[in-house]
Amino acid sequence: MTTLYWYCLGGGFAVSLLLVLAGEALEAVVDALDAVDAFDPLSGVAGVTVFGGAGLLLDAYADLAPVPEVAAAAAVAVLAAVVLHVAYVRPMKQSENSTGFSVREYAGKTGELTTGVPAGGFGEVVVRMGASTTFQTAASFSGDAIASGTAVVVVEVGRDGVLLVAPLDRTDTETSPEQRALPPRLQTR
């Protein structure tokens, strides 16, 4: 059994090293093997490596018959693979999702001026987009000055990406679902 454990331990380290060194080249192969979301090749390689290491430790320090020894090593390997998948692989896959958005999506969003907009000039508005808080260049939709700290709504997006904003009335923000979703420092109440 010791030979099997050494092959699993060495093979697991070799495949892990190969994945680290040539990860980009092997990404298509790994993705093809990842047909089921519950199984990930990285978790499987880690499980095989842990099986080899646990088997060697049990063989050396536990006085077990071969069948219980293999069963215990397999249980430790499965547990390690599941923990790795749940604690590392799945969160990393979810973090690969793009948080990008188009500047055109700002129209209709509410925010707060961090830098006031002078008449005919530019200021800065903070707007919450999804999980992001962004700071964008703003101009007054009507051309009038708007003071810093004023709650505004993005009326439209100019050709150059400048957000054209208008002040919000306090009554408008009491019923606005977007305003309720803003962090407390952006609310106007």
Side-chain angles (χ1 to χ4, degrees):
M1 290 311 293
T2 305
T3 306
L4 173 67
Y5 297 144
W6 277 112
Y7 278 126
C8 289
L9 184 65
F13 278 133
V15 172
S16 297
L17 184 63
L18 183 66
L19 287 174
V20 168
L21 295 177
E24 293 296 321
L26 296 174
E27 188 172 336
V29 174
V30 171
D31 286 343
L33 293 174
D34 192 14
V36 181
D37 186 42
F39 175 76
D40 181 71
L42 179 62
S43 302
V45 169
V48 169
T49 307
V50 169
F51 172 77
L56 286 171
L57 290 173
L58 288 171
D59 192 42
Y61 298 109
D63 190 25
L64 294 174
V67 173
E69 184 179 278
V70 169
V76 170
V78 168
L79 179 65
V82 168
V83 167
L84 176 70
H85 183 77
V86 170
Y88 179 74
V89 174
R90 190 171 22 173
M92 288 298 114
K93 281 185 178 182
Q94 291 171 350
S95 72
E96 290 176 359
N97 295 335
S98 173
T99 59
F101 49 86
S102 168
V103 71
R104 301 287 173 219
E105 294 178 45
Y106 282 108
K109 298 291 184 183
T110 58
E112 180 181 328
L113 287 179
T114 56
T115 304
V117 177
F122 299 98
E124 185 178 62
V125 64
V126 61
V127 180
R128 187 163 168 81
M129 290 293 289
S132 303
T133 301
T134 65
F135 294 84
Q136 301 293 322
T137 304
S140 175
F141 180 72
S142 64
D144 299 332
I146 307 172
S148 178
T150 303
V152 294
V153 62
V154 179
V155 178
E156 66 182 49
V157 179
R159 285 181 296 150
D160 51 358
V162 174
L163 304 183
L164 301 174
V165 299
L168 280 174
D169 292 334
R170 200 166 285 282
T171 57
D172 292 339
T173 62
E174 290 175 4
T175 59
S176 170
E178 282 117 3
Q179 186 67 24
R180 279 186 244 119
L182 290 174
R185 75 174 194 64
L186 297 179
Q187 291 185 2
T188 59
R189 293 186 194 177

